[in-house]
Amino acid sequence: MDAGLKRELEAKVYAGERLSREDGVALYDSDDLAWLGRLAQHRRTERNGDRVMFNVNRHLNLTNVCSASCAYCSFQRKPGEKDAYTMRIDEAVRKAKEMEDEQLTELHIVNGLHPTLPWRYYPKVLRELKAALPKVKLKAFTATEVQWFEKISGLTADEILDELMDAGLESLTGGGAEIFDWEVRQHIVDHACHWEDWSRIHRLAHSKGMKTPSTMLYGHIEEPRHRVDHVLRLRELQDETGGFVVFIPLRYQHDFVDSADGKIRNRIQARTTMAAPAESLKTFAVSRLLFDNVPHVKCFWVMHGLSVAQMSLNFGVDDLDGSVVEYKITHDADSYGTPNTMHRDDLLHLIWDAGFQPVERNTRYEVVREYDPAPSLAQRRAEPQQVWA
Ligand code: SF4
């Protein structure tokens, strides 16, 4: 990058000025990773100090049966396929109850677009989960699922959200966003929920007082300009509603044939590579710099491995998700040896070892507990942590 442009961008960041579309593309053009990290870290520290938030949650996927066939998805199964499953309500409750002694504060529930499950199933499952685990917040369903519920129920999203909230819904999840630009989206997304509906449903959720996450799936066939466009759409909606609490860049995954039937379902795998760690760190940094009105940027460590997760804390990230005891969607597409179970203590040590203060939060990002600041580097090295994958 031209030294003059670099100085100009740096001056904008340190003056707290909003970055433009061109600035975003220029930042992605830079190969100076340390510089990008320093700028993002400046923005992150201004907002969140040296705190790193996490929550203790469990991911629950009620069904992997899906009417759509998104090109990148290794999770979905068609009815009758060997490892297709749909949980009965009592089964979902039993699985959630198994986590009770983990003191989980949140259940994160996303699912396939099941062709025959009736709409009534969804509020019912929330009600029963809430009755069984009254202290646990239910973060459930993508905007894509809500739009699917409109289709199968004949109700409006407004009525659907009211009923789901009455049944115990605390927040929608941020999924289904992928990349909004149609130039890319038309090649990877196979359902009917695009920017217009995704933003309509999150806007509606925000108007009802919900705080929701936002996401972006990166590192497949998109170019940096598409990532910039994606974030700017979210930033504009955030200016309007203020309802997004976090932004989560999700790393596109290859399908590593660990499913029972040995099939590769990812249809763009042959012409794509997965984003390397440097690309992921750059994406975290540029996202933090561009999405200036979102409070938090999260690293979903299951998709990155623990080393990148730890490094991301120096590239604009201030939130780690989470204590996952079971997570099917990504682990159907991950053969990196990343553990699929992390507990509170594991996360605390991961954060301290990176030099930050862990703060446990709930679904709305309210503080549950502040832990001690990180011990000094000398103390940390005197008692080395286990080597993270
Ligand atoms: S990404 Fe979601 S909607 Fe698309 S095929 Fe997979 S489960 Fe279905």
Side-chain angles (χ1 to χ4, degrees), residues 13 16-21 23-25 27-28 39-40 43-44 46-48 174 177-178 180 195 198 202 206 212-216 227-250 282-298 315-318:
V13 170
E17 277 179 42
R18 176 160 274 194
L19 300 179
S20 66
R21 186 175 294 264
D23 294 338
V25 173
L27 288 170
Y28 270 115
L39 294 187
R43 278 265 164 102
R44 169 239 197 281
E46 270 186 336
R47 266 196 172 270
N48 297 302
E178 327 311 2
F180 291 127
W195 167 248
W198 195 96
H202 278 268
H206 298 167
T212 66
S214 54
T215 64
M216 170 177 76
R227 293 182 207 168
V228 171
D229 174 79
H230 188 93
V231 166
L232 293 193
R233 290 183 199 222
L234 292 168
R235 186 173 81 178
E236 199 177 321
L237 183 52
Q238 178 76 336
D239 277 339
E240 181 191 326
T241 68
F244 290 121
V245 73
V246 64
F247 179 61
I248 317 164
L250 298 170
K282 182 188 278 193
T283 305
F284 284 123
V286 179
S287 301
R288 178 62 285 175
L289 290 165
L290 271 186
F291 204 165
D292 54 12
N293 52 0
V294 76
H296 304 284
V297 174
K298 179 192 281 189
F315 283 78
V317 168
D318 69 290

Side-chain angles (χ1 to χ4, degrees), residues 335-364:
S335 68
Y336 281 102
T338 305
N340 64 1
T341 306
M342 286 275 280
H343 297 96
R344 184 187 275 101
D345 273 357
D346 299 321
L347 272 172
L348 290 176
H349 286 288
L350 187 85
I351 296 167
W352 276 322
D353 191 54
F356 293 88
Q357 179 189 13
V359 176
E360 188 171 345
R361 63 165 176 82
N362 63 16
T363 306
R364 294 182 73 88

Side-chain angles (χ1 to χ4, degrees), residues 97-114:
K97 287 282 281 180
E98 283 166 14
M99 280 285 290
E100 231 177 352
D101 55 1
E102 292 281 338
Q103 297 167 5
L104 81 162
T105 60
E106 175 186 282
L107 267 177
H108 180 118
I109 305 169
V110 289
N111 319 288
L113 309 175
H114 195 290

